[in-house]
Amino acid sequence: MLVEAKASLVATGVTNVSTKLRHGDLVETVNEMEMDSDLIVVGKRGEGADFAKLHLGSNLERIVRASRKPIMVSSRAFKHVQNFMIAFDGETSSQKAVNHIRMSRLFLGLECHLLMAGAAAEENRKRLQEATGALQRAGYEVHTNLIEGPADSTIASYVEAHRIDLLVMGAYGHSRLRNLIIGSTTTEMIRTCKIPVMLFR
């Protein structure tokens, strides 16, 4: 599997590819190796998922919660990314996402959407305006929207309506116990959106 994966990367023009086969706990291994990485890429579903729509890999949340680096959760089908959307809530993790995009060259030239789902309060408008300004100063033309409604359904509807290719958002901003009781927007977005999701903690 590693040989085939390396061959696929080399065929696309990636010249420096190293492979490692490790035994032990996946999360511990990722934490050990992420120090030399800028981005971690993981699949959405585990090997036993049988492509069930609502089933996520058992290690996905563990990796995201434990990692200090951005996580790219890949989708099953590949598509060239022409645009991206930041699901912005004003919290630390989504601010981190905005700052990463502002400082990175990876997203330059892509159409940028910035969406906040929630009450149209003055504080929310101010945070959204500040994030928009930061992205514009970095050279992005930003489509900014504040839409009232639940975060999960609002984000999913926007992604579908605007044919978004990549969703960027903060990840697991609440405790495991809270997520167990009332659910997690992060998990719901990964489950329901059929596009790659880039997560920041």
Side-chain angles (χ1 to χ4, degrees):
M1 289 174 65
L2 285 173
V3 170
E4 290 175 356
K6 179 177 180 178
S8 295
L9 288 169
V10 170
T12 65
V14 181
T15 56
N16 187 8
V17 182
S18 61
T19 60
K20 293 184 180 181
L21 177 60
R22 297 288 299 268
H23 296 276
D25 183 74
L26 177 61
V27 175
E28 290 179 5
T29 302
V30 170
N31 285 345
E32 180 184 328
M33 299 181 68
E34 75 172 7
M35 295 177 65
D36 299 321
S37 305
D38 296 320
L39 175 68
I40 298 169
V41 181
V42 297
K44 182 182 290 192
R45 297 181 173 90
E47 62 182 351
D50 194 28
F51 300 111
K53 182 179 179 182
L54 297 181
H55 183 83
L56 297 179
S58 59
N59 287 307
L60 179 57
E61 181 177 346
R62 293 176 61 225
I63 292 172
V64 175
R65 284 188 178 276
S67 178
R68 294 175 296 276
K69 299 295 177 71
I71 308 281
M72 179 75 79
V73 183
S74 64
S75 54
R76 184 180 178 191
F78 174 77
K79 179 186 175 185
H80 285 286
V81 175
Q82 304 294 328
N83 61 46
F84 66 94
M85 187 194 83
I86 305 170
F88 186 78
D89 62 5
E91 300 299 328
T92 302
S93 57
S94 64
Q95 294 279 7
K96 187 176 180 181
V98 169
N99 288 333
H100 179 89
I101 291 169
R102 184 173 59 86
M103 302 296 291
S104 172
R105 297 180 58 83
L106 182 64
F107 297 85
L108 288 177
L110 301 180
E111 183 181 328
C112 175
H113 293 253
L114 185 66
L115 172 69
M116 177 177 273
E122 185 60 33
E123 183 179 354
N124 285 343
R125 291 185 184 279
K126 182 179 178 182
R127 288 180 176 179
L128 196 58
Q129 186 177 14
E130 289 172 353
T132 300
L135 290 165
Q136 288 174 336
R137 288 190 294 275
Y140 292 97
E141 182 178 339
V142 186
H143 304 279
T144 304
N145 288 277
L146 174 56
I147 301 175
E148 295 194 40
D152 50 1
S153 58
T154 301
I155 294 168
S157 296
Y158 192 97
V159 164
E160 185 173 352
H162 293 82
R163 298 183 178 181
I164 301 298
D165 297 328
L166 171 66
L167 173 62
V168 180
M169 63 185 296
Y172 299 114
H174 301 286
S175 69
R176 294 177 190 268
L177 180 59
R178 182 185 184 279
N179 290 345
L180 181 65
I181 295 171
I182 63 175
S184 163
T185 300
T186 305
T187 299
E188 189 62 23
M189 291 300 91
I190 297 171
R191 278 178 175 161
T192 58
C193 291
K194 298 177 181 179
I195 59 175
V197 182
M198 192 171 187
L199 301 173
F200 290 81
R201 281 276 291 163

